[in-house]
Amino acid sequence: MKKSWIESESKKWVEEGIIDESQKEAIASRYERQSTPMLFFFLAAVLIGLACLSLIAANWTSIHHLWRVVLIIGAMLSFYFVGARAFMHNRQGIGVFAFVVALSIFGAGIFLLGDMYHFSMNSAFAFLVWGLAVLLIYLSQPQVFIWIFGLVVVFIGQFVSTMQLHDFDWLLMALFVVGYGTVGYFIKQQNLMWLFTSLLSILLLAFSIQELTYYWYTIFALILYLFSYIIKTGVVSKPLQGVSILSMFIIVVYQALFFNWGWQPVVNDIVYYLFLIPFLSLAVLLAVLNRERFGAIQIVLFLPVFVWPEFSTLLAALVLFAFSIGKMIEGDQLEDSRKEKLGIIAFLISVSIVYVEVAWLVLDRTLFFLIGGIILFIVGLLLNRYQQNQMKGSDDHDST
Amino acid sequence: MIRRRVFLIAVALQIVVLLFMVTSSYALDRFGKVITIQTEAYDTEDVFYGDYVHLSYLAETVRSENWFATDDVRSNQQIYVLFTPDEQGSIILRQHLIVK
């Protein structure tokens, strides 16, 4: 929330006599000014790093090999020196900036030297060394932006290795999960955990697609979901559950849309079911034990809809409807408007998918878009009326 | 104090990594054995690029009589090869093995 907004709003509350001056100060003090300069320093570091990279790359061939090495190591050490001095004088922004530039030079140095001396770069080893260096620097100077930088380096390394080199690097994955994951856990910031879990789920999906078959991602998402019960801290469990549910929603949407196009897998893999059935049962059991009536409903997303090939598209659509209606009811019961909105969005997506699936094959194209537009208009009208009723209800509640 | 030490170790390790890449390459030049590999040119004329020479090593090509492994080779899988000199002293690929 914006601090300036709180200040201007609270001024009105004081004038209207809702709160007094001391209460206003107390409320305003709860909302710290966000450290925007830090973000600018971080982005500046990234841009200057890129500029240095392209400048040197343009004139690279005319410089002698050994001078190039001196240039890389010299530039890296200078930025480390500037960064260390800045941290000593308590100038965190400049310190982070200098360290991120130095780490960028180190990473670029590995690739440039590799190119100069004809190293074979068809593995993620360079990213492993780079990611380790960033983690060590983070441990010496625990600044969130350095952690984010390292996380992105390791993520890109793993993604490139898996998708382009067709080689999922387990050491890099260990660094991502054990190194960066553990540090992220101790930072205890929920938005950072959202970032970590989202990148992790993308890597797991890439692994499933390249090394196994895409549907194995269900097992990994289910493990993330179960971990949200084991690690009870809200900072970690919410992103774990959120990312696993959201990614599974996308997977089911994919299944509902593309199975009809001949992309449906034939799953005879007993091992897959040997993992899926116990994990699914455990998820239901945990939801029941934790008295989460709606927890059990969202688990429908993990169901293997391809188990019944003739009706798998229909099953996928039913799963989407069950999930979205479940979320809407959950939001209504718990008076949680965020969940309610999520349910409405999920419901809209489900309706659109079923409409596309059925109508695209049957209807003429013009009619298809026209009816689609009308359906969306009616849904929009209904949502609008629903929201107005909600607001009216809350006003009535306030007046009584 | 510990953080300062970790910082110094981290920076030192980065320098070691970069210097190792450089020295290992020069060490290879100094102590390695020089072999001659025959090149072959292909596609010397192109509508868009004009005349140019693209060189590849003859030893990179695996002839079917030298293929002793199964056909089941995945992309980016490690393959070990045996190079031997031919009559002219040029290195050619004699045999290759796949390690699973």
Side-chain angles (χ1 to χ4, degrees):
Chain A
M1 201 179 285
K2 283 181 190 166
K3 173 121 176 159
S4 55
W5 184 83
I6 282 287
E7 277 169 353
S8 68
E9 281 297 303
S10 58
K11 210 172 170 184
K12 282 183 217 160
W13 301 340
V14 174
E15 281 162 13
E16 287 167 19
I18 301 169
I19 54 171
D20 61 33
E21 193 62 38
S22 62
Q23 284 169 325
K24 181 200 148 192
E25 295 295 323
I27 291 170
S29 67
R30 290 179 73 94
Y31 298 89
E32 289 294 320
R33 260 184 216 286
Q34 283 169 356
S35 57
T36 323
M38 197 76 160
L39 183 70
F40 278 101
F41 278 127
F42 177 72
L43 292 175
V46 172
L47 285 181
I48 291 176
L50 284 174
C52 289
L53 215 75
S54 53
L55 177 76
I56 295 169
N59 300 297
W60 198 238
T61 44
S62 55
I63 309 169
H64 187 272
H65 276 196
L66 283 175
W67 275 116
R68 295 180 201 177
V69 178
V70 172
L71 203 69
I72 291 169
I73 295 179
M76 186 183 86
L77 284 179
S78 320
F79 276 102
Y80 274 133
F81 180 73
V82 170
R85 294 276 300 177
F87 281 119
M88 261 162 48
H89 292 95
N90 227 6
R91 292 184 157 176
Q92 314 290 335
I94 298 171
V96 172
F97 158 81
F99 274 14
V100 170
V101 173
L103 286 164
S104 307
I105 294 172
F106 173 64
I110 297 176
F111 290 102
L112 287 170
L113 293 182
D115 184 55
M116 268 159 56
Y117 294 106
H118 311 293
F119 276 80
S120 160
M121 285 288 181
N122 59 349
S123 79
F125 186 72
F127 285 99
L128 182 73
V129 175
W130 194 4
L132 263 173
V134 183
L135 190 65
L136 277 178
I137 292 293
Y138 171 83
L139 292 176
S140 77
Q141 203 57 251
Q143 297 288 332
V144 166
F145 282 117
I146 298 177
W147 182 82
I148 295 174
F149 180 74
L151 190 76
V152 172
V153 163
V154 178
F155 169 76
I156 292 173
Q158 185 65 276
F159 195 76
V160 168
S161 179
T162 314
M163 299 308 279
Q164 277 199 331
L165 307 173
H166 308 289
D167 181 26
F168 188 81
D169 196 297
W170 288 101
L171 275 175
L172 206 57
M173 194 62 182
L175 178 65
F176 189 87
V177 177
V178 181
Y180 285 90
T182 314
V183 169
Y185 175 78
F186 284 111
I187 295 175
K188 293 207 186 303
Q189 282 189 30
Q190 204 176 64
N191 45 5
L192 294 182
M193 279 321 286
W194 274 100
L195 175 72
F196 173 78
T197 328
S198 309
L199 295 182
L200 177 66
S201 71
I202 294 172
L203 291 182
L204 290 172
L205 183 62
F207 173 72
S208 310
I209 292 169
Q210 283 295 333
E211 306 279 327
L212 304 157
T213 322
Y214 89 90
Y215 54 79
W216 272 90
Y217 176 74
T218 318
I219 305 289
F220 298 124
L222 204 46
I223 292 171
L224 290 185
Y225 186 81
L226 290 174
F227 261 101
S228 73
Y229 283 103
I230 297 166
I231 308 170
K232 290 268 184 187
T233 341
V235 178
V236 184
S237 68
K238 267 190 184 168
L240 276 174
Q241 199 172 94
V243 167
S244 62
I245 290 295
L246 183 70
S247 57
M248 277 317 296
F249 184 78
I250 295 168
I251 294 276
V252 181
V253 166
Y254 160 79
Q255 290 173 331
L257 272 178
F258 295 111
F259 272 6
N260 268 351
W261 296 22
W263 291 12
Q264 185 171 344
V266 181
V267 187
N268 301 322
D269 200 346
I270 294 292
V271 186
Y272 171 74
Y273 291 109
L274 281 179
F275 277 106
L276 183 75
I277 294 165
F279 284 159
L280 258 182
S281 320
L282 193 62
V284 175
L285 185 73
L286 282 169
V288 172
L289 284 178
N290 285 284
R291 298 204 177 128
E292 291 176 358
R293 265 183 301 162
F294 300 100
I297 295 176
Q298 61 189 10
I299 297 170
V300 291
L301 287 174
F302 297 98
L303 289 175
V305 290
F306 37 72
V307 77
W308 200 359
E310 294 85 6
F311 298 99
S312 52
T313 310
L314 179 72
L315 280 176
L318 283 177
V319 162
L320 288 178
F321 276 119
F323 170 75
S324 43
I325 292 169
K327 268 276 166 257
M328 282 197 281
I329 298 171
E330 183 185 5
D332 188 55
Q333 296 270 308
L334 303 174
E335 292 182 5
D336 185 340
S337 64
R338 224 179 102 255
K339 278 189 177 154
E340 213 164 21
K341 269 181 200 154
L342 273 175
I344 291 169
I345 293 167
F347 187 74
L348 269 178
I349 294 171
S350 314
V351 170
S352 317
I353 286 164
V354 172
Y355 173 67
V356 168
E357 276 297 308
V358 177
W360 186 258
L361 299 171
V362 185
L363 291 179
D364 178 57
R365 301 287 181 266
T366 320
L367 210 58
F368 169 83
F369 289 118
L370 182 69
I371 296 177
I374 292 169
I375 289 179
L376 281 180
F377 180 74
I378 293 168
V379 172
L381 271 181
L382 289 173
L383 279 180
N384 198 26
R385 186 176 293 175
Y386 170 76
Q387 273 181 351
Q388 277 174 352
N389 284 343
Q390 286 280 93
M391 282 170 72
K392 211 172 158 189
S394 65
D395 285 349
D396 291 347
H397 184 74
D398 287 346
S399 59
T400 53
Chain B
M1 195 61 196
I2 295 171
R3 279 185 182 172
R4 198 182 143 87
R5 215 169 275 174
V6 173
F7 172 69
L8 290 175
I9 291 170
V11 176
L13 278 178
Q14 288 172 55
I15 297 169
V16 168
V17 167
L18 295 177
L19 286 180
F20 175 77
M21 289 179 79
V22 179
T23 47
S24 67
S25 175
Y26 285 113
L28 206 66
D29 277 352
R30 176 76 181 78
F31 303 107
K33 188 183 161 192
V34 177
I35 57 164
T36 315
I37 302 177
Q38 196 181 333
T39 54
E40 67 170 346
Y42 68 95
D43 248 2
T44 50
E45 204 182 319
D46 189 278
V47 182
F48 296 107
Y49 299 104
D51 291 336
Y52 73 98
V53 179
H54 199 124
L55 294 174
S56 67
Y57 297 119
L58 214 72
E60 279 179 333
T61 317
V62 184
R63 289 205 302 273
S64 54
E65 63 263 31
N66 292 331
W67 185 267
F68 296 106
T70 59
D71 292 336
D72 184 26
V73 184
R74 282 186 291 114
S75 171
N76 209 40
Q77 189 176 349
Q78 273 190 355
I79 293 178
Y80 291 87
V81 294
L82 178 70
F83 288 113
T84 51
D86 64 3
E87 300 80 43
Q88 283 88 39
S90 189
I91 295 294
I92 55 161
L93 195 150
R94 275 274 177 251
Q95 193 182 359
H96 83 282
L97 303 157
I98 297 174
V99 178
K100 291 268 176 188

